[in-house]
Amino acid sequence: MRIRRQRRQFHPSPGSMMQTAALLLLLLLILPSATTADSTTSIQQHTHHHRQTAEPVVVACSTDADCHTAVSSLSVCLSSTGSCSQPHQNTLEQGCLRAKVPGWNQLRTCNSDDVLPEAAEMGLCQPASPQLDYLEIRIKCQDWESVIFGSWILQIILSEILQVPTTLETGTATSVMQLYDTADRFEFGTTSNNLQAFRNAHELAQGDCRKLQQPQNESTYLNCAHVIPEVWTAKSEQVNEYIRQDILDPPLSLGALGIEGWYIPKYTAETDPTLTSWIGMQGPHNRHKLASMFPRPTKWQDYCNNHSPTNCTAPDGVARRPPANDREASRLYAGDDFVGFFRNTTHNNCIDRPHNCTGHIGDFPCGWGGSLEAQCYHLDIGLESNGDEPYSGGYTYSQLGQMWRAANATRNHVAMMWAIPDPIYEEFQGTDYEFVKVTLPAATQTCQENRINAEHRCVPDHALRVGPLEGVCDETARPLHKLMLKEMFELTQGAGVPKARHSPAHSVVSQFSLTELQINEMFKYWQTVDSSSWTPREAICQWAVDNLDHLTQYIPRTYPRTVETSSNQALFISTIILGTLATLMVVATTFFVYTNRSRRVFRYAQIEFLYLLLAGAAAVGVGAILTGLQQHSTNVTCVSQIWLLGLGYTLTLVPLLVKVAAINRLMQAAQHMRRVELTRTTLREGVALIALLVAAYLLLWTIVDAPHPEADFELTDEVMKGGADDSSLLQIDSQVVQVRYYCTSDSDFWQYVAVSWNLVLILCATALAFQSRSVKSDFNEARELSRLIYSHFIFVLLRLMSFFFDPWVGNPMQSIIYSLDTITMLLVYFSPKFLAGDVDGRSNHTSALSSQRIDGSRVRVSGLSGNTLNQVSHYDTSSHHETSSHFFMERIREEEEGYNTNSSKDESGHPNSVVTKDTTKEEEEEARGGEYRTAEPPSSSSERTTVDDGGIVDVLNDEKLDREQSPRHVADLPSTPSEAPGTPPNRNLGVGSIVDNATMSPQATTQTQIGKTGEDGVPPDEGS
């Protein structure tokens, strides 16, 4: 980082002082004085409200919702005035550095106290990075200025430079002290529940204070914090107990020294110098002096009710109006509206109470340190605090400051406990009301060990409150500390957080330090500049800008960080191109299949089967594209991916499995001359059932552990220029964090089951294809299916290999594998069909076998002549080893490759429906009276199994046909195919021909029934 800073000085030069004096003299000559200040007042109140250039419209309110409706979504209800704040009242709402550092363009990071999403939409802040997902840090700012200012400095470092969302916890439901508060509210909280804030954060999941359900009732408000940047009682027993319970880390030094003690104004010390020592206050003889010199302060409301002659309805020299609300009612000083009022009470009456009359001294609020009551009790000093704090009679920090200002305004003597560094202490330096410390007995180690615990200051037990005499002595300078939640390290930099996403919050808070000199300098910034135009926020912001070198030393190495989405463009483009190519090829193939659906080669492969196959291929192609787009994935695309790939591979694999199994079963039946009972519905139901099972698994996966985008982060050495231009005083470079997205479920079980399912299908289909390896080339679709299954198997193995790579590498690999698998399927399975030469309505391959029936002693085959059928049906399987399918297919090839010499055709050249072939008298005689020779007895079943034009087997239930069939006598087949009759075989066969000797006329020669054909000689699809 590079810092160019010009430190702003607030020490006026003599020349500037003369110019200022001349200007003031000129104003006094020109402008009449409307009012004159009280000559006894040494210093005016320092206001905490920003002066408006125009009188704003006052809108009364009771809740923030009233202001959201009447003014703006950014307006809030100010409890101090009961009116709505004006939008953009805080000039730092976009960030201190953006407002004060020229060229710094970066917005602060939004936090949970911002009105979201309006604040981000209006450009007040930038949303917290969802990729880095830093824990929002909540800082307990307590109720005095130095800790508040330190909290603001931390907020600037964390939320403006390091992009860590940061909020301030006041400990109450209504008080607001955010640096970026749009209403510029400056409302003190409380310290009474400091440690409870840590316990609440400790009990929350992931320590996220945003998840704490905070009731609106202030009396039951639950505060939450990770850090307290300034603690005066870090060595207390309560803190030690929290450390033993692993709620807090051991205290860390802030770097500043704090001093507590009794203080009186210089004005009082000059009046009675003996009051600067406890000796001048001790004993009964000094009690009357103290009671008369130190009257009690009076609250504004009490003054109006009991002492104002007009009840504050008209200015009376003390109050100009009554208090507007409860917050004002408890004030001891409110500037010109209420200058303060001191009075003697019964406690000051030494006539009625000569032995226990007391003067007044203000004590700290509960939760602070000190031992005022114990010191007064054991040293016999007639001073007493009468505030609203229980038992101790302490006052709030605000009231103590008001008490001192009221004494200054009314020229009354005052005594109170105070601590430095503090802005009020700095504010009155050099005046007659500057703080003068009262010396008490010197501190010793014995005194330090016997001093009362800070927790005992407000307990009912008087003995605990005063403690032993040995514990009474003066306060020594004590080191101030920071307290941090124990889990803060684990939540920001623990083993469960990737290194690239480590939050810098713990490191910053651990190293953060302020000396008392720096704290006092902040106070001077606030007090030196015109208080009517600068708020505390602007003063501390300016101090931060002037001390950028101090702020930036707390920025850890490699911070801040900028997230960039990482992707290999070449690989990304390759996956998209291949996925798109595969999908387009599926679409084109589907179109060509549809336009060529009447060709025999597609009818044999079954049109609906091809459409199913193409639907699965299209799903895989789209899934490949989604897999390649995982850098831009969403929950929807991740879930869609598993459904497309799961169902897609099922539709491409299961139909193949079913079809190959059917072919194998058909061939085995032909070899053994057995009946095959297959139906098209059965095959469809098998595919549908398996697809439904897969869909049920995918549905369970989606419900139980749906895939979602997951990010992987890597901290690189790349550096990026920060959020400022070249002219900026502050140049901070960012370390680049590369993020890669991929889809995943919480468990890898689902993905392994999905791939295992594909592998099981592939292995089963591979086994079936291996069984079909000896099928004659005439049935070349079996070989195409085998090659396709083998290719699927190879690609599944490649998918398994991709699991061993990181997801951002393995996912593009899988996308490419899906695309290549789809393209290979189209080339292996569909290309041969488009190139098949069956445009004339006849196939050149043995797949012309369109229908086959094996029914005990009968084989019913479409596409064979009666002569061939007789030879196949009556071939003696017991005496010839090579029978069945080989001889069967040889006869088919002979039928297909021959020419139709005896076919009769109609005028259009198409074969007639009936073709006859003469036989010898011996054959006819044998047909009439010869005996059956069958491979096995006729079955009693009425089912007839055929294969239609598409190769799908139909079951025909025709009991009547079986009953009408009578024994048929045909001649025996010759012992070998070469011994067939010399008469040329009948070549006049059309697709869909039905040969059944039982239907032939006994008087006629052997006839072959040819089924009806279309105009192109191709029969219509039986299944249509």
Side-chain angles (χ1 to χ4, degrees):
M1 66 187 70
R2 302 177 298 281
I3 302 175
R4 298 194 296 271
R5 56 186 291 266
Q6 296 177 348
R7 184 174 177 83
R8 180 171 179 170
Q9 301 293 336
F10 286 94
H11 304 291
S13 63
S16 63
M17 293 178 63
M18 294 179 61
Q19 294 175 1
T20 303
L23 180 60
L24 290 175
L25 180 60
L26 180 62
L27 290 174
L28 290 175
L29 293 175
I30 297 176
L31 300 176
S33 299
T35 60
T36 58
D38 190 343
S39 60
T40 62
T41 303
S42 304
I43 191 166
Q44 296 299 321
Q45 176 199 21
H46 182 83
T47 179
H48 298 305
H49 300 284
H50 184 65
R51 185 172 61 186
Q52 302 295 315
T53 57
E55 188 69 24
V57 178
V58 178
V59 178
C61 63
S62 57
T63 64
D64 289 346
D66 298 335
C67 299
H68 295 169
T69 303
V71 182
S72 166
S73 60
L74 299 178
S75 178
V76 295
C77 187
L78 301 175
S79 58
S80 59
T81 61
S83 61
C84 295
S85 67
Q86 297 301 312
H88 312 298
Q89 193 167 329
N90 183 358
T91 60
L92 307 180
E93 57 190 0
Q94 291 182 314
C96 166
L97 300 181
R98 185 178 177 91
K100 299 289 186 179
V101 177
W104 183 268
N105 303 317
Q106 183 172 300
L107 292 171
R108 65 177 177 89
T109 300
C110 300
N111 58 62
S112 58
D113 283 336
D114 287 309
V115 181
L116 297 175
E118 289 84 356
E121 293 172 352
M122 296 177 65
L124 300 184
C125 59
Q126 60 178 347
S129 170
Q131 294 91 354
L132 296 176
D133 193 26
Y134 289 151
L135 173 71
E136 180 177 280
I137 302 301
R138 189 157 296 182
I139 303 172
K140 184 69 184 292
C141 61
Q142 307 189 89
D143 56 0
W144 66 91
E145 279 93 346
S146 61
V147 67
I148 293 170
F149 293 170
S151 301
W152 285 348
I153 297 297
L154 278 173
Q155 210 170 12
I156 292 171
I157 298 173
L158 291 173
S159 65
E160 297 189 32
I161 299 178
L162 298 176
Q163 304 169 25
V164 178
T166 311
T167 58
L168 268 58
E169 174 68 75
T170 62
T172 69
T174 57
S175 300
V176 177
M177 198 61 80
Q178 302 295 334
L179 175 63
Y180 313 111
D181 179 45
T182 57
D184 202 23
R185 288 170 287 184
F186 195 92
E187 301 167 349
F188 288 112
T190 179
T191 59
S192 60
N193 52 7
N194 276 353
L195 297 184
Q196 186 61 41
F198 288 114
R199 182 176 294 278
N200 291 337
H202 171 74
E203 294 174 352
L204 284 171
Q206 302 300 319
D208 191 348
C209 290
R210 293 171 295 184
K211 298 179 181 179
L212 182 65
Q213 298 296 324
Q214 301 182 13
Q216 296 298 320
N217 187 348
E218 185 174 1
S219 62
T220 57
Y221 177 77
L222 300 177
N223 70 150
C224 180
H226 305 100
V227 177
I228 299 180
E230 182 184 318
V231 179
W232 290 64
T233 57
K235 300 298 183 180
S236 67
E237 180 58 31
Q238 190 176 9
V239 171
N240 291 332
E241 180 62 25
Y242 271 60
I243 294 174
R244 287 191 291 268
Q245 295 176 11
D246 288 334
I247 297 177
L248 289 177
D249 273 332
L252 297 173
S253 175
L254 176 62
L257 293 176
I259 301 176
E260 294 177 346
W262 295 17
Y263 290 88
I264 60 174
K266 179 182 177 182
Y267 165 75
T268 302
E270 291 175 345
T271 302
D272 187 351
T274 64
L275 297 178
T276 59
S277 171
W278 66 278
I279 298 176
M281 298 180 177
Q282 186 184 36
H285 57 283
N286 287 318
R287 183 175 294 273
H288 290 240
K289 178 179 67 173
L290 298 177
S292 63
M293 287 194 67
F294 297 104
R296 263 71 183 176
T298 305
K299 296 178 183 177
W300 190 354
Q301 189 67 60
D302 290 343
Y303 171 77
C304 293
N305 294 341
N306 304 313
H307 306 284
S308 173
T310 63
N311 295 115
C312 301
T313 56
D316 58 10
V318 176
R320 297 199 302 186
R321 61 174 178 84
N325 49 50
D326 292 340
R327 186 182 292 270
E328 287 190 349
S330 63
R331 293 180 68 92
L332 302 178
Y333 175 82
D336 294 338
D337 291 330
F338 178 62
V339 297
F341 183 76
F342 288 84
R343 58 189 173 86
N344 290 320
T345 68
T346 56
H347 294 282
N348 299 85
N349 189 345
C350 292
I351 296 176
D352 296 336
R353 305 174 59 181
H355 301 293
N356 58 0
C357 62
T358 58
H360 183 266
I361 184 171
D363 196 2
F364 285 148
C366 295
W368 287 36
S371 53
L372 174 65
E373 184 179 3
Q375 291 165 343
C376 291
Y377 176 80
H378 289 293
L379 296 178
D380 191 17
I381 297 176
L383 292 175
E384 182 183 12
S385 182
N386 299 115
D388 294 332
E389 293 289 296
Y391 305 107
S392 70
Y395 293 85
T396 67
Y397 172 76
S398 298
Q399 287 177 324
L400 289 174
Q402 294 161 12
M403 186 187 304
W404 196 274
R405 289 192 174 97
N408 170 70
T410 59
R411 305 301 287 179
N412 275 286
H413 298 293
V414 66
M416 67 183 191
M417 285 287 293
W418 203 242
I420 56 175
D422 184 83
I424 297 180
Y425 179 90
E426 295 295 329
E427 178 183 339
F428 285 92
Q429 285 295 92
T431 72
D432 57 356
Y433 264 77
E434 71 179 16
F435 285 70
V436 176
K437 191 174 185 301
V438 178
T439 59
L440 296 172
T444 64
Q445 184 62 34
T446 301
C447 178
Q448 294 290 341
E449 292 174 354
N450 289 276
R451 194 185 298 276
I452 66 168
N453 292 327
E455 295 86 356
H456 293 163
R457 288 185 54 250
C458 296
V459 299
D461 191 340
H462 179 264
L464 288 177
R465 294 202 306 269
V466 298
L469 174 62
E470 294 79 6
V472 175
C473 60
D474 206 349
E475 298 284 347
T476 59
R478 66 177 68 181
L480 305 184
H481 294 85
K482 299 167 292 185
L483 290 181
M484 282 197 298
L485 185 70
K486 177 76 172 181
E487 292 93 335
M488 187 170 172
F489 178 82
E490 286 297 322
L491 295 173
T492 57
Q493 301 180 23
V497 182
K499 182 178 179 181
R501 299 176 67 185
H502 281 182
S503 170
H506 184 272
S507 299
V508 170
V509 175
S510 299
Q511 299 175 26
F512 179 73
S513 66
L514 288 173
T515 66
E516 62 269 23
L517 298 178
Q518 291 172 322
I519 295 174
N520 287 331
E521 188 179 44
M522 293 183 198
F523 299 151
K524 290 179 180 178
Y525 266 69
W526 180 19
Q527 295 153 7
T528 305
V529 184
D530 182 10
S531 62
S532 63
S533 61
W534 253 28
T535 67
R537 289 176 171 83
E538 291 174 317
I540 301 309
C541 175
Q542 187 61 54
W543 183 90
V545 171
D546 291 342
N547 290 270
L548 287 175
D549 53 349
H550 177 72
L551 270 61
T552 54
Q553 70 176 326
Y554 304 123
I555 299 177
R557 194 178 64 86
T558 74
Y559 290 94
R561 294 178 176 178
T562 299
V563 177
E564 287 187 349
T565 302
S566 174
S567 63
N568 188 322
Q569 284 299 111
L571 191 60
F572 171 76
I573 294 175
S574 300
T575 57
I576 301 304
I577 291 177
L578 282 176
T580 304
L581 177 63
T583 305
L584 292 177
M585 288 182 63
V586 172
V587 173
T589 302
T590 305
F591 172 77
F592 285 115
V593 168
Y594 178 79
T595 57
N596 292 273
R597 64 188 181 280
S598 61
R599 291 180 57 187
R600 180 181 300 177
V601 65
F602 292 109
R603 287 209 306 261
Y604 287 170
Q606 280 299 296
I607 292 295
E608 60 267 40
F609 168 79
L610 298 181
Y611 289 157
L612 201 61
L613 209 64
L614 290 170
V620 173
V622 176
I625 295 176
L626 295 181
T627 305
L629 288 173
Q630 290 205 13
Q631 287 287 59
H632 310 281
S633 58
T634 63
N635 290 332
V636 174
T637 58
C638 288
V639 173
S640 300
Q641 178 183 323
I642 64 168
W643 279 83
L644 289 170
L645 295 175
L647 290 178
Y649 266 105
T650 299
L651 293 179
T652 56
L653 293 174
V654 172
L656 286 177
L657 188 67
V658 171
K659 186 168 184 177
V660 173
I663 293 176
N664 288 346
R665 186 176 179 185
L666 184 63
M667 292 302 99
Q668 292 173 4
Q671 290 176 356
H672 296 88
M673 293 298 183
R674 293 177 181 172
R675 181 175 56 192
V676 179
E677 299 180 2
L678 298 175
T679 67
R680 179 177 302 174
T681 302
T682 301
L683 300 181
R684 291 173 177 170
E685 290 177 349
V687 175
L689 177 62
I690 296 176
L692 286 176
L693 292 176
V694 172
Y697 173 78
L698 294 175
L699 181 61
L700 181 65
W701 184 356
T702 303
I703 295 174
V704 175
D705 189 9
H708 55 273
E710 189 76 17
D712 181 85
F713 298 87
E714 179 184 1
L715 181 62
T716 68
D717 295 330
E718 184 181 353
V719 175
M720 179 176 292
K721 185 178 178 180
D725 57 34
D726 294 336
S727 64
S728 176
L729 296 175
L730 180 63
Q731 296 286 343
I732 300 180
D733 296 331
S734 300
Q735 202 84 8
V736 174
V737 173
Q738 289 187 347
V739 57
R740 307 176 181 92
Y741 293 97
Y742 58 95
C743 292
T744 185
S745 295
D746 294 336
S747 173
D748 294 332
F749 165 80
W750 308 95
Q751 188 66 35
Y752 283 118
V753 170
V755 177
S756 299
W757 164 246
N758 292 344
L759 186 60
V760 168
L761 292 178
I762 289 293
L763 292 176
C764 294
T766 302
L768 293 172
F770 180 79
Q771 294 175 3
S772 305
R773 70 190 187 283
S774 60
V775 174
K776 288 292 185 177
S777 60
D778 308 79
F779 288 88
N780 52 14
E781 184 170 273
R783 290 196 174 183
E784 295 167 1
L785 295 176
S786 300
R787 295 190 188 102
L788 184 57
I789 293 170
Y790 292 147
S791 69
H792 276 316
F793 180 74
I794 297 299
F795 286 116
V796 168
L797 292 181
L798 293 176
R799 287 172 58 193
L800 290 174
M801 292 174 59
S802 68
F803 287 167
F804 294 96
F805 293 87
D806 291 327
W808 53 90
V809 177
N811 285 335
M813 290 178 58
Q814 292 181 19
S815 176
I816 294 174
I817 291 170
Y818 296 145
S819 300
L820 293 179
D821 195 2
T822 303
I823 294 173
T824 302
M825 184 201 72
L826 298 177
L827 295 177
V828 169
Y829 187 74
F830 286 94
S831 295
K833 299 186 183 302
F834 289 122
L835 300 176
D838 63 340
V839 294
D840 58 351
R842 304 196 49 172
S843 175
N844 293 332
H845 303 288
T846 323
S847 58
L849 177 63
S850 62
S851 170
Q852 165 179 316
R853 173 188 171 197
I854 304 173
D855 186 8
S857 61
R858 304 184 302 276
V859 178
R860 185 175 184 183
V861 182
S862 169
L864 299 181
S865 66
N867 185 37
T868 302
L869 176 67
N870 292 336
Q871 294 178 11
V872 174
S873 299
H874 297 82
Y875 190 61
D876 190 352
T877 61
S878 63
S879 60
H880 292 274
H881 176 69
E882 189 176 349
T883 61
S884 61
S885 61
H886 285 191
F887 175 70
F888 184 63
M889 288 183 290
E890 290 294 335
R891 299 301 299 169
I892 293 173
R893 182 183 296 108
E894 290 178 6
E895 296 287 349
E896 291 285 344
E897 293 178 354
Y899 51 90
N900 300 331
T901 56
N902 297 327
S903 62
S904 61
K905 300 182 179 180
D906 57 18
E907 295 179 357
S908 62
H910 294 289
N912 292 323
S913 59
V914 178
V915 181
T916 62
K917 179 178 76 73
D918 293 336
T919 59
T920 61
K921 292 182 179 181
E922 293 80 2
E923 291 174 337
E924 184 176 353
E925 182 68 20
E926 186 68 15
R928 291 194 180 99
E931 296 181 355
Y932 268 127
R933 296 181 60 192
T934 63
E936 61 183 56
S939 172
S940 61
S941 173
S942 62
E943 293 180 345
R944 309 294 179 86
T945 304
T946 64
V947 180
D948 66 8
D949 295 343
I952 298 295
V953 181
D954 290 330
V955 176
L956 306 176
N957 294 313
D958 191 354
E959 296 182 0
K960 181 179 179 181
L961 180 61
D962 280 345
R963 289 195 301 268
E964 291 177 352
Q965 286 179 342
S966 59
R968 292 166 292 175
H969 303 277
V970 295
D972 292 341
L973 291 173
S975 58
T976 64
S978 60
E979 297 176 1
T983 305
N986 189 354
R987 311 293 182 182
N988 302 312
L989 295 176
V991 176
S993 60
I994 301 176
V995 181
D996 194 335
N997 290 342
T999 62
M1000 296 182 183
S1001 172
Q1003 291 83 16
T1005 59
T1006 304
Q1007 296 180 350
T1008 301
Q1009 180 79 24
I1010 307 299
K1012 294 182 180 180
T1013 61
E1015 295 179 359
D1016 58 351
V1018 180
D1021 188 355
E1022 291 182 8
S1024 60

